[in-house]
Amino acid sequence: MQKKRHLLITGGAGFIGSHVVRLFVNKYPDYEIINLDKLTYAGNLANLKDIESRPNYRFEKCDICDFDAVCNIFRKYDIDGVIHLAAESHVDRSIKDPFTFAKTNVLGTLSMLQAAKTYWNNDWEGKLFYHISTDEVYGALEFDGSMFTEQTKYNPHSPYSASKASSDHFVRAFHDTYGMPTIVTNCSNNYGPYQFPEKLIPLFINNIRHHKPLPVYGKGENVRDWLFVEDHAKAIDTIFHNGKIAETYNIGGFNEWKNIDLIKVIIKTVDKLLGNPEGTSLDLITYVTDRSGHDLRYAIDATKLKNELGWEPSLQFEEGIEKTVQWYLDNQEWLDNITSGEYEKYYDEMYNQR
Ligand code: NAD
Ligand code: DAU
């Protein structure tokens, strides 16, 4: 029997957050799950339609940078656990507008930590501040087989990863200075349903659907390690309940793909599911100017998490990618609702600058 928790999940209307909220609402009917989200361009309550009327679910529209408003939410719900996902998450946007990333990711995280510290008032019994971070804080690997471990030194290159690195340092500082029970996890690239279609996989699925060019940055040789989002949510559940205080855990898919090879798999899968002859959409591939400071390769060594807490990815990539493509093809209204209007203008401007 799990102890009743009053759990604040930030960024729950975003991609990964919505999967975490859904998992916790379904799996822990006795917990009160409060989703705190500002609903930026990336936040979408349609991601949570299936659970929005559950008795153990609450939504609070709130900016994590608004310290007083966050304190009120801690008081209102007697919060004892935080899973902090709210962030600006897209590298290309961080290159255009680094201030917004510093504000949300650094100051917003500090505001969350300070609100938790104020409300918990040094009584740390049964409390946890769990911060969700990224493998990008470790910098870039060569094509030499090495991987990021929990001991790898931070070496961020983009304004996004610099802001996430800074937020990770603040979380650890709150443990070391005040004794706050914290955990940090650093995860690799996620894919799956409900991802905002500015990120590689949903963007390319959507562009193929509209016969639009597929902008491959540089030579398409960069490597990413892909994990199905529901596996990330399960890892977060495992770590929230069984992780050791003050520890860092890497989470990854043991699933590295060179971008251009991954893109060919996406094209093949979309063409197959749309009933097009194989290879139909290959000529949409368009090589464009590379992302500035584009990290060459990420690869996560998630052995510690497997050995200590027994988590490992459950879904094979071929199955995950087919499930993902099918989901976007079945949910075209969801895609159309967020890609029309403001976002379409923004995307066309970004594309024309490349
Ligand atoms: P996302 O951009 O899809 O969602 C972010 C959510 O945060 C949105 O709902 C948005 O409205 C909310 N938000 C943004 N600013 C806010 C603010 N000031 N106050 C309150 N809410 C705010 O992001 P995602 O891809 O789901 O990533 C979630 C977290 O996981 C981030 O911290 C990200 O750094 C981390 N992460 C992402 C990946 C990935 O592959 N997507 C991998 C590793 C780690
Ligand atoms: O590694 C974890 C990170 O993964 C998360 O912390 C970030 O929040 C998340 O956005 C993701 O970052 P990436 O920059 O790796 O993801 P993105 O989908 O933007 O790009 C994946 C790769 O594809 C990257 O090498 C850049 C390339 N790319 C991307 C886009 C959008 C293209 O070639 N063309 C594109 O149009």
Side-chain angles (χ1 to χ4, degrees):
M1 175 78 176
Q2 299 282 346
K3 173 181 164 296
K4 175 157 174 105
R5 304 292 304 250
H6 302 266
L7 177 54
L8 185 61
I9 300 181
T10 70
F15 166 47
I16 302 171
S18 62
H19 288 275
V20 176
V21 167
R22 176 175 298 101
L23 176 70
F24 275 75
V25 165
N26 284 330
K27 190 168 171 188
Y28 302 106
D30 292 340
Y31 288 16
E32 191 171 27
I33 307 295
I34 298 94
N35 171 13
L36 182 166
D37 199 297
K38 183 184 176 185
L39 300 182
T40 66
Y41 79 94
N44 184 356
L45 289 177
N47 298 0
L48 292 163
K49 270 258 157 286
D50 54 325
I51 56 104
E52 68 185 5
S53 52
R54 293 294 175 77
N56 61 337
Y57 172 71
R58 303 275 179 276
F59 173 69
E60 291 281 351
K61 186 171 185 322
C62 177
D63 185 338
I64 53 169
C65 299
D66 184 343
F67 174 70
D68 292 337
V70 174
C71 285
N72 284 339
I73 291 172
F74 269 83
R75 264 195 303 277
K76 179 171 169 188
Y77 296 102
D78 187 24
I79 297 300
D80 54 38
V82 176
I83 303 180
H84 176 44
L85 296 111
E88 289 292 337
S89 69
H90 190 43
V91 175
D92 293 330
R93 287 185 189 251
S94 81
I95 295 167
K96 285 225 148 258
D97 176 18
F99 272 116
T100 301
F101 282 69
K103 188 169 174 223
T104 296
N105 298 357
V106 185
L107 296 180
T109 299
L110 181 55
S111 153
M112 289 297 305
L113 287 162
Q114 187 66 13
K117 176 175 172 288
T118 307
Y119 184 65
W120 293 340
N121 195 21
N122 292 322
D123 174 8
W124 306 124
E125 186 61 35
K127 313 293 193 309
L128 178 62
F129 191 103
Y130 176 3
H131 177 62
I132 305 299
S133 191
T134 171
D135 58 1
E136 302 205 8
V137 298
Y138 295 126
L141 295 163
E142 298 296 329
F143 294 127
D144 60 0
S146 62
M147 298 174 101
F148 299 133
T149 71
E150 288 81 0
Q151 277 71 48
T152 304
K153 282 216 173 82
Y154 275 28
N155 185 19
H157 296 127
S158 72
Y160 164 68
S161 52
S163 68
K164 290 295 291 186
S166 171
S167 65
D168 296 6
H169 290 318
F170 269 107
V171 174
R172 294 189 179 108
F174 267 61
H175 172 269
D176 295 349
T177 308
Y178 307 113
M180 181 181 286
T182 60
I183 291 179
V184 177
T185 55
N186 299 86
C187 188
S188 65
N189 286 61
N190 284 217
Y191 72 98
Y194 300 111
Q195 186 166 31
F196 193 87
E198 63 188 344
K199 307 281 170 66
L200 181 75
I201 292 181
L203 173 69
F204 278 33
I205 296 170
N206 197 34
N207 282 10
I208 296 170
R209 195 164 72 88
H210 292 292
H211 311 290
K212 284 174 86 169
L214 305 176
V216 181
Y217 297 169
K219 294 186 178 144
E221 284 178 343
N222 304 67
V223 171
R224 297 292 182 265
D225 168 5
W226 294 92
L227 176 69
F228 191 62
V229 63
E230 288 176 12
D231 274 332
H232 188 188
K234 286 179 195 160
I236 290 172
D237 176 23
T238 301
I239 293 162
F240 179 80
H241 289 100
N242 302 314
K244 275 201 217 130
I245 300 303
E247 288 285 320
T248 296
Y249 298 92
N250 278 354
I251 309 173
F254 292 106
N255 179 40
E256 291 180 52
W257 285 83
K258 201 183 261 198
N259 286 345
I260 192 63
D261 295 336
L262 171 71
I263 287 161
K264 287 180 182 160
V265 172
I266 298 168
I267 291 173
K268 193 171 168 190
T269 312
V270 178
D271 277 340
K272 182 178 104 180
L273 295 179
L274 285 176
N276 296 332
E278 189 168 336
T280 305
S281 303
L282 278 173
D283 60 3
L284 293 175
I285 290 180
T286 309
Y287 290 93
V288 299
T289 311
D290 208 353
R291 176 185 276 173
S292 316
H294 196 173
D295 286 333
L296 186 62
R297 173 173 165 256
Y298 303 143
I300 276 281
D301 182 349
T303 308
K304 172 177 171 182
L305 182 54
K306 182 177 174 200
N307 289 347
E308 293 188 9
L309 300 182
W311 176 93
E312 54 187 328
S314 67
L315 203 68
Q316 289 301 311
F317 186 63
E318 291 65 25
E319 196 187 329
I321 204 76
E322 182 144 341
K323 214 168 145 172
T324 300
V325 171
Q326 190 66 62
W327 187 88
Y328 286 98
L329 297 181
D330 289 346
N331 289 275
Q332 302 196 9
E333 204 184 325
W334 180 91
L335 265 175
D336 291 340
N337 282 343
I338 52 177
T339 49
S340 54
E342 273 306 297
Y343 171 69
E344 193 170 21
K345 261 199 322 213
Y346 162 85
Y347 176 75
D348 289 343
E349 262 171 46
M350 290 282 279
Y351 181 78
N352 289 332
Q353 284 167 20
R354 287 199 175 272

